[in-house]
Amino acid sequence: MNILIRANSSSYIGTGHIMRDLVLAKEFKNDNIFFATQDLQGNINSEIKEAEYRVEILKSSDFEELNSLIKKLNIDMIIIDNYDIDHNFEKRLKEQNPSLKIFVLDDIYEKHSCDILLNHNIYASEKKYKNLVPKGCELRCGAKYTLLRDEFRKIKNLPLTTHHSPLTILLAMGGADNKNLNIKILKILKKYRKNIKVNLVTTNANKNLEKLKEYCKNKEWINLQINSKNIAKLMRESNFAIITPSVTANEAYFLGLPMIAIKTAKNQKEMYKYLAKKGYFALKKFDKKELEKGINKTLGEIDGNYKV
């Protein structure tokens, strides 16, 4: 079977779509996998090539361009992980290619015209897709479908260290950190620096990477990791995480890592609501005072004798 994965990454969009699609692609080991993506600023198309998948560069999100590629490559199934493609677009693809199977990834309970829908987030509910997908659509929702890299599954059974010296915090505001929050959060954490270590995770998609490198320079309490292949290990070595309510929250949840979540994008709304409802410290947006409150609360829960 020829499978085409349509997704983008950039300094604005972030890297999460491509990263989870690379995990999904491994489920189709006996098929021919192609990625269709745009050459946007700060993209991680190199990660796709490194995984040895063929990359087709699109000039736009135009229907005709994608439809032509589907016909050219004799695609049997398209996996769509792109917010620019709506149910009308999907319906047109089906009309133009009657035998094409359409597999959609969705995070925000949108209407779709597809054969398979995957919402792999821990909050996902099949019931909420009633009247949003065609009859007969196969729904894959919730934690049992979460797309996790092998590193997380391998490390899952190792003992979870609860006491580190110093206490360790994972900071991950997304591969692109398009709200430029890393330095703001580090400035808050600075007053704890004698007692903590920060595992800071980012990527080359971060437009503010050079400023971040400069800020972290000569600060021994910050462990800056760029394009790390060991996120699971860094999580396992941390006492808690300050992250976005995104794919990273699925990973932290899987490992049982306490977390503070800061919403930075519209598509994080459902995860934010779920985490807040479940008792996690979740912020609708970055707020210095509220974050300080959350950090103090979390550190106190981890270590009752902890003092700033």
Side-chain angles (χ1 to χ4, degrees):
M1 184 163 64
N2 292 331
I3 300 173
L4 182 66
I5 299 176
R6 175 69 182 99
N8 285 330
S9 61
S10 73
S11 295
Y12 176 73
I13 298 167
T15 60
H17 294 278
I18 294 295
M19 294 306 292
R20 69 183 181 183
D21 294 334
L22 287 170
V23 176
L24 181 59
K26 287 186 176 182
E27 296 183 12
F28 301 95
K29 292 178 181 178
N30 299 319
D31 299 297
N32 299 315
I33 306 289
F34 306 87
F35 275 76
T37 185
Q38 291 170 259
D39 190 17
L40 304 174
Q41 183 180 2
N43 70 71
I44 57 165
N45 293 343
S46 59
E47 294 274 346
I48 304 171
K49 293 172 184 175
E50 190 178 314
E52 299 184 343
Y53 295 114
R54 180 171 152 187
V55 179
E56 296 287 339
I57 298 296
L58 299 176
K59 294 178 181 177
S60 68
S61 293
D62 181 69
F63 174 86
E64 293 302 335
E65 187 179 13
L66 180 59
N67 191 44
S68 294
L69 183 62
I70 288 168
K71 293 180 183 302
K72 175 186 170 185
L73 298 176
N74 295 313
I75 297 300
D76 301 295
M77 180 168 76
I78 183 168
I79 296 175
I80 300 171
D81 191 5
N82 187 308
Y83 296 131
D84 290 334
I85 297 178
D86 63 12
H87 78 103
N88 287 319
F89 192 118
E90 294 157 4
K91 190 177 179 182
R92 286 179 69 197
L93 282 179
K94 198 71 158 178
E95 289 169 353
Q96 293 280 327
N97 308 274
S99 64
L100 179 69
K101 184 173 282 190
I102 299 178
F103 183 139
V104 170
L105 278 79
D106 179 87
D107 304 298
I108 51 179
Y109 300 120
E110 288 284 308
K111 187 176 181 180
H112 289 284
S113 181
C114 57
D115 301 285
I116 303 170
L117 183 141
L118 169 64
N119 186 333
H120 75 129
N121 296 289
I122 54 177
Y123 60 78
S125 167
E126 285 190 17
K127 292 178 182 177
K128 290 195 176 183
Y129 284 103
K130 187 179 180 182
N131 301 321
L132 291 179
V133 295
K135 287 182 180 179
C137 174
E138 179 186 340
L139 291 172
R140 302 177 184 179
C141 296
K144 70 177 180 178
Y145 295 106
T146 297
L147 297 171
L148 292 159
R149 298 191 296 279
D150 290 340
E151 59 176 302
F152 287 94
R153 300 195 184 280
K154 288 176 182 175
I155 212 166
K156 169 73 172 176
N157 296 323
L158 296 179
L160 179 62
T161 304
T162 55
H163 294 285
H164 298 280
S165 182
L167 291 172
T168 306
I169 300 168
L170 179 90
L171 175 57
M173 286 292 105
D177 184 24
N178 53 38
K179 295 289 185 183
N180 196 20
L181 294 181
N182 278 316
I183 292 177
K184 291 179 181 178
I185 296 170
L186 287 170
K187 285 179 177 178
I188 293 171
L189 293 171
K190 186 179 178 181
K191 71 176 182 179
Y192 304 89
R193 67 186 182 279
K194 292 180 181 178
N195 302 303
I196 66 166
K197 173 185 171 184
V198 176
N199 287 327
L200 171 55
V201 176
T202 191
T203 73
N204 285 329
N206 189 337
K207 289 190 296 185
N208 301 289
L209 186 56
E210 292 308 313
K211 289 180 182 177
L212 187 59
K213 285 181 182 177
E214 187 60 32
Y215 182 84
C216 295
K217 195 174 179 181
N218 300 323
K219 292 181 174 67
E220 293 183 2
W221 57 280
I222 303 174
N223 172 29
L224 176 60
Q225 293 284 319
I226 302 166
N227 301 328
S228 175
K229 303 291 186 184
N230 299 300
I231 305 298
K233 183 173 182 290
L234 291 170
M235 279 193 178
R236 184 57 78 179
E237 293 172 352
S238 299
N239 292 93
F240 78 94
I242 301 175
I243 57 178
T244 55
S246 60
V247 170
T248 312
N250 286 322
E251 295 165 347
Y253 182 88
F254 179 75
L255 293 181
L257 182 66
M259 64 183 114
I260 294 173
I262 305 171
K263 180 174 167 288
T264 60
K266 289 180 180 179
N267 66 315
Q268 297 167 0
K269 178 183 174 183
E270 296 297 333
M271 182 70 85
Y272 158 76
K273 285 163 53 179
Y274 177 85
L275 292 175
K277 186 178 179 181
K278 290 293 183 180
Y280 290 92
F281 201 95
L283 300 180
K284 200 169 186 178
K285 62 179 180 180
F286 174 78
D287 181 289
K288 183 181 176 182
K289 288 184 179 179
E290 284 299 304
L291 180 56
E292 284 181 342
K293 189 188 297 182
I295 292 168
N296 287 327
K297 180 176 181 290
T298 307
L299 288 173
E301 289 172 350
I302 292 168
D303 183 352
N305 299 315
Y306 187 84
K307 291 182 181 178
V308 177

